[in-house]
């Protein structure tokens, strides 16, 4: 079977290409083949209803067949009702809906998805606040002046413009100490953890300590890379770093020092120093997940642990909270000894972080727009935090709110044993909220009942309804 | 040690945040701490030369310390030369270059990279042709009307807008038969191969047949996933599909049917049918890499094998050649039975393909701009192909050019034994070109000598120089 392919000017898509299966291109079979091919294209919807076909002269020229042959094929299909021909309007596909091709098996219909009415799940920002206009302006400036080779395969560590902008921004805003060469562009914290997990196994690490409460996907990524995870207890001062001394097999520890996820406490300064001492003493690595470090509401902000020990700490960050999860854009700042290895690892196997978004984020940062956006959102989320704390104090005095000094979520502690009942009650109210249990390490004791309430999630119009639903829910 | 953090209006970055380590916040130590913190910030470059510091009143308010304390700290640093103070211009960081912090170990300097003077390596398009203005216009339209939830984490299979646009485009332009639900957005063919490799190992496949000549990275991805690869001989009709009958362990075959990479031949129609029969008989999968399927220059274009057997063929494509490698944007069209699994696999472990580029490509396709761009480039690359063939026929009659009917590269066959000498000669001319050897499967016989010449790579201004260098090189 020989295929031919012609360019059909289509009213829907000017200049579109159309591919036709014409079978053997010779003799009387040709007209029949053309009829069959056009009919098939209409029937399966590849030629859309109402779209205009080329003149018989030009389609004939494209396919290398006589004009008359095409004209006859068109007439036949008009007679069959697949095409219409009107003086001055050319030959067009008829408006009736084509049958679907029988050969394609019926597939599963996509599940109807209607989100919950109220959404207070943690881990996402207010999507309506994504700064579209500023993003587009930055994209225009960035793409306008990028060199041609920016659109090539590029270095696995990412675009130099972005690595430099990130090094400067993180130094200024988070106390991170690193040169651009230590920055690897990632598609988020999870991606960074995956890259580091591979580096750790290559170094011979077998076990990673993780906080007793944390994202299950992060634990899973470590395990998928062949590592074991052991939980560190978490209390009001954060992860119990001293427990590492009794874990000689542990080669790395994954922490959320600025705002423990999900309990919300800051890692006590003594423990930050202890983590660094542990790493220096044992040669272990600290993996610092700074997922919401820009969002701090009190007077005593917490800089990155990385600034205390650039040689021992891998600092992971993301635009998932400050801009939007959909960008899939983050960074890893690595000890100099690791940076080249991790970049190479990324380049061999991962293809992430398209260049357009990298250039745009770099421009957003260097122009100051990113900083201003973060400040705006910080103020907005602080107001929500205040409204939440106030509403709960007023309406649900039994619920104790903690971890409120930063980030986009709080922990609402519940009376012992109440968590699953409250979660069930939430489902009845069509309120999506997460209990603490889903974040607990499988080997950690169930030592408290709580809800993890993400107050950034609702759009401005949905906020008060969500807050009311939460207050109705809690004792 | 307590950290404080203030917002410094900076002339370089208005509204920027600055993080200061202030130590113990009390008593006479405070001024000393502030001096030390500011000095450190200047010395390490975190405060850029020339940038403006806030007034002593506003910094004091931010930090919760007395205005006079700040003023004294400023005066001290002016005296030391780190800051300057001019009437009406406020307090600024001095222009002299700060020392780098001693604690950061000197890292490796990035290697100076100057590309080759002439670049005819295959696998890339003319980067200067990336349609920046049209891309930005499409981005503006797409981002302007996207729903808020487009910026959320999203479905692993990718944005619905893009999956629908791709299903329509591929049906029309390549004869692919699939519903949008069968489309998974990827970051390119390699990513698709990685996802399918995992699916294959889950199905119990142990061995994948690959063409004797092909991209080494693709073979490596299969091997990294735990699969073995065996080579199929490649001749003037493409891969010797009949050889599969003697390979009962093979559960899948990776082909480039439209334009064999790198030999450039099209898979003979009989062999396309044979591949489909093999898959239906054995339950095996055909992996179709259609990396440059839109670029066909002769009258008999080749549609996708997928159109013959949507249940048995996984169709992989990319914007790497039609737009730019830097986009990291491609697609996999899967048999219905596989589509859900592969999408799930992608979502659990991969974070790729940011939403902005997905929405933009969908808009580019549905508006017809993508089609028009491909047509423009097709004509442009055809002209280059013609110039190349003509030049070689004139200047290097011993070099036989094949595989020229499509794509962005040709195979230039050389007298037996000449390949490595010619490759060496290329290096002397500062001409980057690839010999066939690097694409050969390790278990395949070395049966010919040739260069793989990518004629799309040079920018318009570099083209004639590259062509001349190639002609000088060849016997």
């Amino acid at each position: 079977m020989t295929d031919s392919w012609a360019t059909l000017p289509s009213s829907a898509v000017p200049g579109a290409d159309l591919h036709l299966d014409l079978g053997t291109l010779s003799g009387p079979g040709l007209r029949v083949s053309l009829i069959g091919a056009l009919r098939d294209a209409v029937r399966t919807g590849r030629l859309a209803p109402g779209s205009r076909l080329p003149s018989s002269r030009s389609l004939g020229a494209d396919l290398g067949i006589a004009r008359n042959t095409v004209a006859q094929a068109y007439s036949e299909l008009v007679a069959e009702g697949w095409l219409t021909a009107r003086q001055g309007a050319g030959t067009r596909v008829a408006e009736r809906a084509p049958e679907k091709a029988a050969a394609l098996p019926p597939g599963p219909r996509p599940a109807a998805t209607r989100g919950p009415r109220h959404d207070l799940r943690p881990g996402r920002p207010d999507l309506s606040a994504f700064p579209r206009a500023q993003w587009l302006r930055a994209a225009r400036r960035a793409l306008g002046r990028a060199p041609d080779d920016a659109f090539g395969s590029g270095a696995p560590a990412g675009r130099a413009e972005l690595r430099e902008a990130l090094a400067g921004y993180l130094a200024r805003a988070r106390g991170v100490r690193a040169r651009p060469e230590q920055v690897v562009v990632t598609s988020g914290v999870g991606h960074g953890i995956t890259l580091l997990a591979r580096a750790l196994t290559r170094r011979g690490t077998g076990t990673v300590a993780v906080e007793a409460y944390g994202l299950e996907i992060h634990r899973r990524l470590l395990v998928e890379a062949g590592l074991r995870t052991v939980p560190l207890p978490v209390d009001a001062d954060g992860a119990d770093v001293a427990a590492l001394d009794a874990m000689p097999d542990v080669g790395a520890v994954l922490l959320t020092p600025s705002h423990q996820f999900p309990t919300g406490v800051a890692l006590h300064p003594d423990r930050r120093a202890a983590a660094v001492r542990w790493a220096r003493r044992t040669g272990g690595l600290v993996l610092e997940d700074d997922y919401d470090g820009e969002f701090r509401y009190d007077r005593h902000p917490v800089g990155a642990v990385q600034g205390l020990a650039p040689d021992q700490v891998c600092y992971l960050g993301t635009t998932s909270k400050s801009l939007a999860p959909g960008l899939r854009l983050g960074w890893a700042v690595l000890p100099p000894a690791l940076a080249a290895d991790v970049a190479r690892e990324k380049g061999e196997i991962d293809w992430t972080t398209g260049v357009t978004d990298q250039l745009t984020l770099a421009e957003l940062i260097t122009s100051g727009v990113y900083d201003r956006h973060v400040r705006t959102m910080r103020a907005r989320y602080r107001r929500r935090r205040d409204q939440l704390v106030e509403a709960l104090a007023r309406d649900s005095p039994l619920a104790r709110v903690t971890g409120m000094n930063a980030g986009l979520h709080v922990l609402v502690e519940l009376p012992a044993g109440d968590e699953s009942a409250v979660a069930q009650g939430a489902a009845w109210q069509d309120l999506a909220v997460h209990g603490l249990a889903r974040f607990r390490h499988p080997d950690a004791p169930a030592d408290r009942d709580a809800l993890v309430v993400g107050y950034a999630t609702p759009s401005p119009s949905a906020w008060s309804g969500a807050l009311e639903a939460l207050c109705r829910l809690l004792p």
Side-chain angles (χ1 to χ4, degrees), chain A residues 122 213 234-238 258-266 291-292 296-298 384-386 388-390 392-393 396-415 434 436 447-455 470 474:
Chain A
Y213 292 99
V234 172
D235 56 33
D237 289 332
S258 171
H259 187 232
Q260 207 282 325
F261 186 84
T263 67
V265 295
Y291 65 101
D292 67 358
R296 190 92 208 158
Y297 308 127
D298 57 8
R384 286 205 183 174
R385 188 257 338 233
D386 292 346
L388 171 68
V389 169
E390 195 183 304
L392 291 181
S396 311
L398 289 186
R400 201 168 90 86
V401 181
T402 61
M404 71 183 81
N405 286 332
L408 312 183
H409 71 275
V410 292
L411 198 71
V412 179
E413 298 190 9
L414 301 169
H434 284 159
L436 188 58
D447 58 359
R448 69 193 94 169
D449 283 50
L451 290 186
V452 184
V453 176
Y455 53 83
L470 180 69
L474 295 172

Side-chain angles (χ1 to χ4, degrees), chain A residues 130-142 360 364:
Chain A
F130 178 79
R132 302 182 194 206
Q134 286 133 307
W135 181 266
L136 286 167
R137 277 198 294 271
R140 190 170 60 240
R141 289 193 302 268
T360 302
L364 216 63

Side-chain angles (χ1 to χ4, degrees), chain A residues 116-326:
Chain A
R117 182 166 175 206
H118 307 291
D119 193 350
L120 289 174
R121 286 173 294 190
R124 60 204 73 184
D126 175 5
L127 297 180
S128 74
F130 178 79
R132 302 182 194 206
Q134 286 133 307
W135 181 266
L136 286 167
R137 277 198 294 271
R140 190 170 60 240
R141 289 193 302 268
L143 295 201
R145 64 165 185 261
D148 287 342
D149 67 17
F151 297 97
S153 309
R159 285 299 302 170
E161 296 92 335
L162 181 55
R163 296 165 78 199
E164 284 160 21
L166 285 170
Y169 171 76
L170 294 171
R172 194 177 70 245
R174 303 296 297 124
V176 169
R177 294 198 290 154
R179 274 183 305 273
E181 298 81 66
Q182 292 167 253
V183 179
V184 173
V185 178
T186 69
S187 49
V189 170
H191 185 207
I193 286 175
T194 300
L195 294 171
L196 283 164
R198 293 183 195 144
L200 286 170
T201 52
R202 276 201 308 274
R203 279 161 57 112
T205 299
T207 306
V208 176
V210 299
E211 294 164 321
Y213 292 99
L215 279 176
E216 191 273 339
I217 180 67
H218 288 176
R219 293 191 289 265
R220 187 150 28 112
L221 291 169
L222 295 169
V223 166
E224 292 264 349
L227 297 161
R228 261 188 16 263
T229 66
V230 292
L232 288 182
V234 172
D235 56 33
D237 289 332
D240 181 12
V241 169
L244 287 171
D245 295 333
M247 301 176 176
D249 293 336
V250 165
V253 58
L254 173 62
L255 300 172
T256 49
S258 171
H259 187 232
Q260 207 282 325
F261 186 84
T263 67
V265 295
L267 188 63
H268 191 281
D270 291 347
R271 292 184 173 180
R272 290 157 52 95
V276 167
R277 279 195 312 271
W278 168 83
R280 288 200 168 124
R281 183 168 51 77
T282 64
L285 284 177
V286 175
L287 275 52
E288 173 171 21
D289 174 1
D290 195 35
Y291 65 101
D292 67 358
E294 311 96 328
F295 296 107
R296 190 92 208 158
Y297 308 127
D298 57 8
R299 293 207 88 106
H300 300 292
V302 181
V305 173
Q306 191 273 358
L308 303 178
D311 281 353
Q312 301 299 137
V313 180
C314 306
Y315 174 90
L316 304 174
T318 175
T319 55
S320 173
K321 310 295 180 291
S322 55
L323 286 174

